[in-house]
Amino acid sequence: MLHQSIIQGSTDTSGAIAVGAAVVAGHAALPAAGGQRWVYAFGGGGAEGHGGMLAELGGKGAGLAEMARLGVPVPPGFTIVAEASRRHRAGQGGFPAGLMAQVEEALTRLEAVAGARFGGSENPLLVSVRSGARASMPGMMDTILNLGLTDATVTGLAARSGDARFAYDCYRRLIQTYGTVVQGVGAHVFDAALEAYKEMHGLTRDADLSAADWRAVAAAYRDVIEREAGEPFPQDARTQLFAAIGAIFRSWSNARAVAFRAVHGIPDDWGTAATVQAMVFGNRGTASGTGVAHSRDPSTGEAVLCGEFLADAQGEDIVSGLRTPGPLAGADASLEAVAAEAFAELGRIADRLERHFGDMQEIEFTVQQGRLFILQSRAGKRTPEAGVRIATEMAQAGIISRAEAVQRADLPALADSLRPIADPDAPRDVIACGLPASSGAATGVAVFTSDEAVRLAAEGVAVVLCRPETSPHDVHGMQVACAVVTARGGATSHAATVARAMGLPCVTGARMLRVDPAAGVMTVGDLTVRAGEIITVDGGAGHVILGSVPMIRPEPPEAVALLLRWAEGAGE
C-alpha cells in the first residue's frame, strides 16, 4: 500500500462523496468543448499521458507520466490539462463542462490505487495540488499540500498513523497554505499567530510544540481565516479540492508569474496544468525528510550527485529557505545517514533519468520512513559555466550528439562563462561565508528590500539584494540586482534556483548574517552594514565581502574551447 501505516486498508470506494452543492454553485460549468479530455492519470503501474505532452500536461505532469511509465516510484495522481486553466480564465473563474465529473472519476481511481478514501474519517487520502506550466517557472505559482484534512479526517490520520503530533502538524500547514493561496489571507498573519502562541507558552522552536500545541495552533489559524477572510476554513474535502484547483489556475496570472514570463519570453496564453497527487510524508520522524537532488553539480557541471536534504520536513520547508538543509551525504542528518537505501536508490534513479531525458536533472523527492518517492524531475537550472561542461561531457559520453551540445550552449551562455570573477589574489575583507549557490562576482551597494533595489537600479546604481531569504515576491528585485545574498536557505532554495536561472552571483545560507530589512541593516557580530554601503559577492567562493574587490576575466575553460571547435567543425 502507498502510505504504509498512514494510507492503507480497504480499497472500497463505493462510499465516495458526491460533489457538494456549494462547490457546484461556486464553479459554474462552461460550455463543453466537444469530447474534450481534461484529466490524465498516472501511477499504479503506468500512465495515460507521456513525456511528450508538455503543452497539455505541463512540465510537471508530463514528467510524472513519463517516470510512471519507466517504473520510477512516483506517488499516483492525475493531471488536469492546461487548456482547462485557459478556459477557466476566459470564463471568469468557471470550470469547463465535464471537468468536475472527470476529476471525480480520476479521484475514485486514485482512492483504489492508494487504498484510502478522500474525505474518509478512518483512513483519509490526502493530496497535493501543484501548478505545472510547459516551461519551468520555479516558485512563481502556487502549491497546496495535505489537502483533504478537516476536523474529522485529522483524527483519522492521527489514529491511523499512531502519531497525533504529525497529524496536527499537517493540518496546521494545510490551513495556513489554503488560507493564503485560496482565501487570500497574508502569510504574515499566520506567522504572527504562531509566534504569539509560542511566546505565550514559553516555546522557542517549532520542534518544541506537542500534538496538543499544534491542535491549538490549527484552531487559532481557523480563527485567523474567519476573521481575515470573512468565511470559515472549509470542512468538506471536495470543497477544498475544487477551490484549490481554481486557485492554482489563477496563480498563472499573479503579478510575480506575469513578471517572470515577461523576462523569460514565456507566452501568457499557455496557461498552467494542475496536478493532483497522493501525499507522501517527509515529516514522519528522523527516517523521513524531503530534498532536492541534481544529477550533476549545477554550479560547476561536475558529474556527481549533489543536492540537499532536510530531515523530518515537507517540501515547502526546503524551497522556502525558512530552514537551512544539509547535504545528501556525509553529515549526521544527511539522507545517506538517515536512510542509506533510499540514498543509494536516488543515485541510481538520477543516473537513469539523466540518460533517459538527455539532460542534467533536478529531482524533488520525499523519503517517508525510509521509502523513497520521486515528486518531480526536470532539466535543472545551471550556471552558464556548468551548462557548457555538461553539454560537452554528455556529448563525449554519447548521451547527446555534438550538434545538440553546440545548440544548447548558445553564444550568450558562452559569453557569460567568461564573465569577470573576483581576483583570488586581491585582499578581501570577508564578513560572512555561505553556500556558493551561483558563480560569478559583482560589487554594488547593499539594499534590503526588492522595492528599494528597483528604485536605485532605475537610477543606474548597481545593487546587491540582501534578504533573510527570498520568496517569489522578490523576483522584481532580483531582476535588477547584480548579486543576491540570503542569510537562510540552501543551494536549492528559491534564491539559489532563481539566481542561477538569471545568471546572478548568489550566496545563500550565510547564517552569521542578521538581515533586518525594516531597519535597513545587516549585522555580523559587532559589524553593521547599512543600506547604501558597498559590498562584493563572490558566488564561486561563497563569500560576502565588505567593500569592492578587483575583477579579472578568467581564461576560457577547456570545455568552451572544445565546444567552439565542434561548432567550427574542427578537431575531435
Side-chain angles (χ1 to χ4, degrees):
M1 291 297 175
L2 177 63
H3 295 306
Q4 295 176 335
S5 64
I6 300 174
I7 297 177
Q8 61 181 0
S10 172
T11 58
D12 177 17
T13 58
S14 60
I17 302 171
V19 180
V23 177
V24 176
H27 298 282
L30 299 176
Q36 173 72 50
R37 181 171 185 175
W38 302 111
V39 175
Y40 289 78
F42 59 86
E48 294 175 338
H50 56 77
M53 298 178 66
L54 283 174
E56 297 89 350
L57 303 180
K60 190 185 306 293
L64 286 166
E66 190 70 10
M67 287 191 291
R69 287 173 172 264
L70 292 171
V72 172
V74 298
F78 54 89
T79 299
I80 303 168
V81 297
E83 175 64 19
S85 77
R86 292 192 288 269
R87 290 174 59 80
H88 183 267
R89 182 168 57 172
Q92 288 78 51
F95 285 145
L99 175 95
M100 295 173 75
Q102 290 185 30
V103 168
E104 284 289 344
E105 180 184 353
L107 190 58
T108 297
R109 286 184 288 167
L110 178 57
E111 290 175 322
V113 172
R117 187 162 161 263
F118 189 64
S121 59
E122 294 184 2
N123 184 26
L125 169 65
L126 306 185
V127 299
S128 62
V129 184
R130 303 173 188 266
S131 60
R134 71 176 83 172
S136 177
M137 295 173 57
M140 297 302 106
M141 294 179 289
D142 294 319
T143 292
I144 300 176
L145 305 180
N146 306 314
L147 199 141
L149 280 175
T150 65
D151 289 353
T153 60
V154 70
T155 59
L157 181 63
R160 195 80 185 181
S161 65
D163 188 346
R165 185 186 186 281
F166 152 74
Y168 282 98
D169 179 32
C170 289
Y171 194 24
R172 65 93 184 180
R173 290 170 183 262
L174 168 64
I175 296 170
Q176 176 169 3
T177 307
Y178 187 96
T180 301
V181 173
V182 180
Q183 297 178 291
V185 180
H188 67 280
V189 184
F190 295 103
D191 294 338
L194 177 57
E195 290 307 312
Y197 181 90
K198 289 194 293 188
E199 183 176 352
M200 180 183 300
H201 293 84
L203 303 168
T204 57
R205 303 176 305 150
D206 289 2
D208 298 329
L209 275 69
S210 66
D213 290 323
W214 284 131
R215 183 174 184 174
V217 169
Y221 281 4
R222 291 197 303 273
D223 291 342
V224 165
I225 288 176
E226 192 141 13
R227 182 180 69 247
E228 298 290 326
E231 60 182 12
F233 174 78
Q235 292 295 321
D236 176 77
R238 277 166 168 72
T239 300
Q240 294 177 10
L241 176 61
F242 284 102
I245 292 169
I248 294 302
F249 287 164
R250 290 194 300 274
S251 71
W252 175 257
S253 301
N254 69 41
R256 61 183 186 269
V258 171
F260 185 92
R261 291 198 297 274
V263 170
H264 295 276
I266 300 172
D268 283 333
D269 61 1
W270 276 3
T272 181
T275 294
V276 178
Q277 192 172 20
M279 281 294 301
V280 288
F281 302 96
N283 55 333
R284 284 306 319 273
T286 55
S288 303
T290 186
V292 179
H294 293 92
S295 59
R296 299 182 185 233
D297 189 316
S299 293
T300 68
E302 182 182 0
V304 58
L305 181 70
C306 63
E308 296 178 320
F309 177 73
L310 192 58
D312 197 15
Q314 288 196 326
E316 294 307 293
D317 296 329
I318 194 169
V319 297
S320 68
L322 293 176
R323 293 172 61 186
T324 300
L328 292 179
D332 290 343
S334 68
L335 174 60
E336 183 182 39
V338 304
E341 291 185 9
F343 173 73
E345 184 181 9
L346 178 63
R348 294 190 295 269
I349 289 173
D351 183 67
R352 184 181 182 192
L353 292 176
E354 178 178 283
R355 291 181 176 276
H356 179 79
F357 290 114
D359 202 354
M360 184 265 278
Q361 294 295 292
E362 178 181 310
I363 302 166
E364 296 178 18
F365 66 91
T366 286
V367 177
Q368 178 182 292
Q369 296 178 314
R371 186 177 175 188
L372 176 68
F373 295 91
I374 305 300
L375 305 182
Q376 178 169 317
S377 188
R378 61 188 174 195
K381 301 297 183 184
R382 68 209 73 182
T383 62
E385 298 93 330
V388 173
R389 179 173 176 179
I390 290 168
T392 54
E393 290 188 359
M394 283 191 166
Q396 290 172 318
I399 298 173
I400 61 175
S401 67
R402 290 184 176 183
E404 188 171 355
V406 171
Q407 184 179 18
R408 285 186 185 180
D410 55 18
L411 290 177
L414 289 174
D416 279 346
S417 72
L418 303 177
R419 61 188 172 181
I421 61 172
D423 185 347
D425 297 323
R428 56 176 66 190
D429 184 4
V430 178
I431 60 173
C433 296
L435 298 171
S438 183
S439 60
T443 297
V445 302
V447 298
F448 302 102
T449 70
S450 289
D451 289 344
E452 181 68 1
V454 171
R455 185 186 71 79
L456 289 177
E459 298 174 1
V461 178
V463 297
V464 176
L465 181 62
C466 306
R467 298 285 292 161
E469 70 277 331
T470 65
S471 75
H473 298 290
D474 290 305
V475 169
H476 64 299
M478 297 179 73
Q479 287 170 340
V480 300
C482 65
V484 177
V485 174
T486 66
R488 297 193 288 268
T492 55
S493 64
H494 175 271
T497 301
V498 175
R500 281 195 293 270
M502 293 181 174
L504 288 176
C506 180
V507 174
T508 60
R511 287 178 286 183
M512 59 286 294
L513 290 177
R514 297 292 179 266
V515 181
D516 186 344
V521 300
M522 66 180 178
T523 58
V524 188
D526 295 331
L527 174 68
T528 298
V529 177
R530 293 177 171 81
E533 292 192 47
I534 294 176
I535 61 174
T536 297
V537 176
D538 186 340
H543 289 170
V544 182
I545 303 163
L546 190 62
S548 61
V549 175
M551 301 290 167
I552 61 172
R553 193 168 293 275
E555 290 296 318
E558 175 57 30
V560 172
L562 178 60
L563 205 64
L564 290 174
R565 290 201 298 271
W566 288 350
E568 296 168 356
E572 291 296 328

